[in-house]
Amino acid sequence: MKSEKELTLDAVLEIIKKRDPDQKEFLQAAKEVLQWIIPFAKSSDKYNSYALFERLIEPERIIQFRVPWVTDDGVSMTNRGYRIQFNSALGPYKGGLRFHPEVNLSILKFLAFEQTFKNSLTGLPLGGGKGGSDFNPKGRSDSEIMRFCQSFMTELYRHIGPDTDIPAGDIGVGAAEIGYLFGQYKRLTSSFNGVLTGKGLSFGGSQLRPEATGYGLLYFVEEMMNTAGDEIKDAAVIISGSGNVAQYSCQKAIELGMKVLTMSDSDGYIVVKDGITEEQLEQIMELKNENKGRIKECTDLFECEFHEGTPWSVEAEVALPCATQNELDEDHAKTLVENGLKYLAEGANMPCTDKAVAYFMENDIRFVPGKASNAGGVSVSGLEMTQNAMRLSWDSDRVDDELRQIMHRIHEQCTTYGKSDDGDDDVINYEKGAAIAGFIKVADAMIAQGSV
Ligand code: NDP
């Protein structure tokens, strides 16, 4: 592909800065990936093209719409809905929906961009997308959430489909919301198909989809620790968040014999000195999922301490940030390293700031970006699509087996492309490996499909 301009990191970042100067999360995510793939692309005739990167950072389509709904008290509300269809080179757009008051175009573009590389790493035929709304589900009744979801889908349905774009859950969108969205899609289109993943088991959902992101994260951590010659059993781990990803990360970590010291929410974190037990985790899940409670209420349920802020001052060998973007900054990174951290794998998307990541790298912490370590969720979503298309339902052993294999292959790709420049096998740069491995498949497909 001929380019008018020379390919450099600055030249590509300049496009984003000029076009969307206020999209700081998108710029951060793009920089994180491009810093590794542009030097790689420049060393190859095939990918050394400014035009290719100009296309890679521009979403194929952005849909923005009004979502009107009515509260239980009869008050009219209006939120904003979005769907970013970022890249369909490898398959139909695939990525979650986020309902959170902070949702904006910058956050959704960063998530959709990341998703494109993540989906490529899974080896499944999935393009990248993301969507959501600035609707805040906290404190809303079930019927308000249902009416909101129905209104959201009343616009979204015309842009999605099982071969076009297949949304799933994310922050604020769990099984209940997916059920309401699916019900409305079915009503509007008179079709029952796999247009959403994360569905209930009784209407086309896959075994282990709720568990998949957390389980996949721990399979990855186990593989990384084994590769470095460490045992996962008995290792101390701190987890942030107490939602879907955090809960199932905690569950698998306990199963693998780790000592889980913390969980959190936006109010603060709990510390359980001897490690969270299975029974305590069950209580946390009931508190958060059924009673919509806060993590500090755990102090009424079992012996633990509650502190405001983030859990990054607690000593541990492994850290798994599983809450939200930019929840761990450079100061947190310094404290973690001082306290003996060896491994950090992102359960959330981009939970570490760029300065925190740089600090981990400088200090030889094995750091894994979310696009590799949290890809288990979208992987099982991909398996849900396969089961829906075949009108079959696999048992949980089969799904778990597939998930383990996918996480193993992602680890393998990271180690292949994440070797240090001097070929030293002991030092794996997971960030570089994940970015380059994800990029190659997407770029090959884009080039093969022509420059339209
Ligand atoms: P949930 O809504 O189930 O849980 C989110 C958790 O993060 C809650 O504990 C929430 O606490 C906390 N949180 C949210 N915003 C903040 C904030 N600003 N500061 C501190 N804590 C916060 O979401 P998920 O577990 O599904 O998603 C968590 C992360 O994992 C996201 O980054 C998501 O994109 C990513 N992810 C999710 C996948 C999935 O399959 N669900 C797949 C891959 C990635 P509170 O209740 O106080 O808001």
Side-chain angles (χ1 to χ4, degrees):
M1 207 179 311
K2 272 194 180 165
S3 308
E4 282 177 17
K5 284 193 185 165
E6 189 197 344
L7 174 65
T8 64
L9 177 60
D10 284 346
V12 179
L13 293 178
E14 201 48 38
I15 305 172
I16 300 176
K17 286 182 196 160
K18 266 203 178 144
R19 275 204 182 130
D20 301 299
D22 55 341
Q23 294 184 357
K24 59 181 195 315
E25 291 87 358
F26 177 52
L27 183 67
Q28 182 186 341
K31 202 168 160 189
E32 241 172 52
V33 172
L34 297 174
Q35 65 175 324
W36 302 112
I37 54 178
I38 288 184
F40 167 79
K42 281 185 79 73
S43 67
S44 117
D45 284 349
K46 188 172 182 187
Y47 309 122
N48 186 7
S49 155
Y50 173 87
L52 173 66
F53 281 84
E54 201 177 15
R55 273 199 281 149
L56 194 68
I57 56 163
E58 187 63 19
E60 288 175 22
R61 192 171 302 106
I62 294 180
I63 300 142
Q64 183 182 311
F65 49 97
R66 180 173 65 187
V67 190
W69 59 285
V70 179
T71 68
D72 289 343
D73 304 334
V75 179
S76 288
M77 308 289 280
T78 302
N79 284 93
R80 192 171 264 187
Y82 306 89
R83 186 72 185 163
I84 317 287
Q85 299 182 331
F86 213 106
N87 191 306
S88 63
L90 294 180
Y93 309 104
K94 178 89 195 97
L97 297 172
R98 177 176 291 192
F99 292 168
H100 191 278
E102 281 171 19
V103 160
N104 58 37
L105 257 188
S106 173
I107 289 178
L108 294 180
K109 275 178 68 182
F110 115 63
L111 289 164
F113 182 73
E114 281 275 305
Q115 194 80 44
T116 302
F117 295 88
K118 183 187 308 190
N119 293 0
S120 165
L121 283 171
T122 67
L124 301 171
L126 304 170
K130 201 83 190 186
S133 171
D134 58 2
F135 169 70
N136 186 359
K138 263 189 213 152
R140 291 289 167 203
S141 70
D142 276 353
S143 48
E144 286 175 326
I145 290 174
M146 182 178 74
R147 284 196 296 279
F148 177 81
C149 289
Q150 289 172 338
S151 179
F152 185 86
M153 185 53 85
T154 300
E155 174 57 32
L156 187 68
Y157 86 97
R158 65 191 91 237
H159 308 289
I160 61 174
D163 297 317
T164 320
D165 184 352
I166 307 96
D170 191 73
I171 293 179
V173 179
E177 291 76 16
I178 293 290
Y180 298 143
L181 291 163
F182 182 75
Q184 184 71 354
Y185 178 86
K186 193 166 58 84
R187 205 171 287 132
L188 290 164
T189 61
S190 299
S191 57
F192 192 114
N193 58 41
V195 69
L196 288 155
T197 58
K199 300 184 290 297
L201 283 177
S202 57
F203 54 97
S206 173
Q207 295 286 350
L208 289 193
R209 176 59 191 90
E211 292 87 346
T213 309
Y215 281 19
L217 176 66
L218 268 296
Y219 294 151
F220 197 99
V221 171
E222 187 178 27
E223 187 126 359
M224 169 169 61
M225 290 181 77
N226 290 343
T227 305
D230 275 331
E231 283 265 337
I232 196 163
K233 193 167 178 303
D234 297 327
V237 53
I238 45 180
I239 294 179
S240 68
S242 49
N244 172 275
V245 180
Q247 291 175 9
Y248 290 105
S249 297
C250 182
Q251 190 175 77
K252 188 51 85 176
I254 296 172
E255 202 184 303
L256 293 171
M258 296 181 94
K259 201 163 135 185
V260 185
L261 299 174
T262 64
M263 287 183 86
S264 72
D265 61 21
S266 47
D267 295 339
Y269 64 99
I270 53 161
V271 184
V272 181
K273 287 208 170 81
D274 296 327
I276 296 173
T277 62
E278 274 175 25
E279 294 71 34
Q280 288 167 344
L281 177 62
E282 266 173 38
Q283 288 176 286
I284 295 172
M285 286 164 94
E286 194 181 319
L287 171 76
K288 297 294 296 187
N289 303 348
E290 280 157 47
N291 303 330
K292 301 207 163 150
R294 308 300 301 158
I295 201 78
K296 66 177 147 211
E297 293 169 45
C298 288
T299 53
D300 301 331
L301 301 173
F302 50 81
E303 205 179 316
C304 63
E305 288 169 15
F306 173 79
H307 302 275
E308 285 181 2
T310 54
W312 312 126
S313 57
V314 177
E315 269 180 46
E317 190 180 343
V318 183
L320 304 175
C322 297
T324 193
Q325 67 274 353
N326 292 328
E327 55 168 309
L328 194 161
D329 63 20
E330 192 182 13
D331 287 339
H332 298 133
K334 285 182 179 162
T335 310
L336 284 164
V337 173
E338 231 172 73
N339 285 343
L341 184 82
K342 288 173 79 177
Y343 302 94
L344 188 140
E346 294 185 332
N349 286 311
M350 207 169 71
C352 300
T353 64
D354 44 4
K355 286 192 175 144
V357 176
Y359 192 79
F360 289 137
M361 300 262 188
E362 280 161 26
N363 287 277
D364 291 335
I365 306 301
R366 282 180 161 77
F367 164 83
V368 194
K371 67 178 79 57
S373 48
N374 73 27
V378 73
S379 301
V380 174
S381 276
L383 302 178
E384 182 173 329
M385 287 161 63
T386 305
Q387 293 169 76
N388 291 164
M390 294 163 77
R391 308 245 182 256
L392 279 176
S393 168
W394 298 339
D395 64 25
S396 50
D397 285 348
R398 162 115 196 234
V399 178
D400 198 31
D401 207 40
E402 299 269 354
L403 172 62
R404 272 179 191 274
Q405 286 180 37
I406 292 172
M407 297 314 292
H408 169 75
R409 286 197 298 268
I410 295 176
H411 186 269
E412 220 168 41
Q413 294 175 72
C414 290
T415 52
T416 303
Y417 291 100
K419 286 205 174 77
S420 68
D421 291 338
D422 59 10
D424 181 353
D425 277 357
D426 288 345
V427 190
I428 300 163
N429 181 337
Y430 285 92
E431 198 185 33
K432 174 179 157 193
I436 295 175
F439 164 74
I440 290 173
K441 277 183 236 149
V442 176
D444 284 349
M446 284 173 73
I447 294 167
Q449 289 168 28
S451 56
V452 285

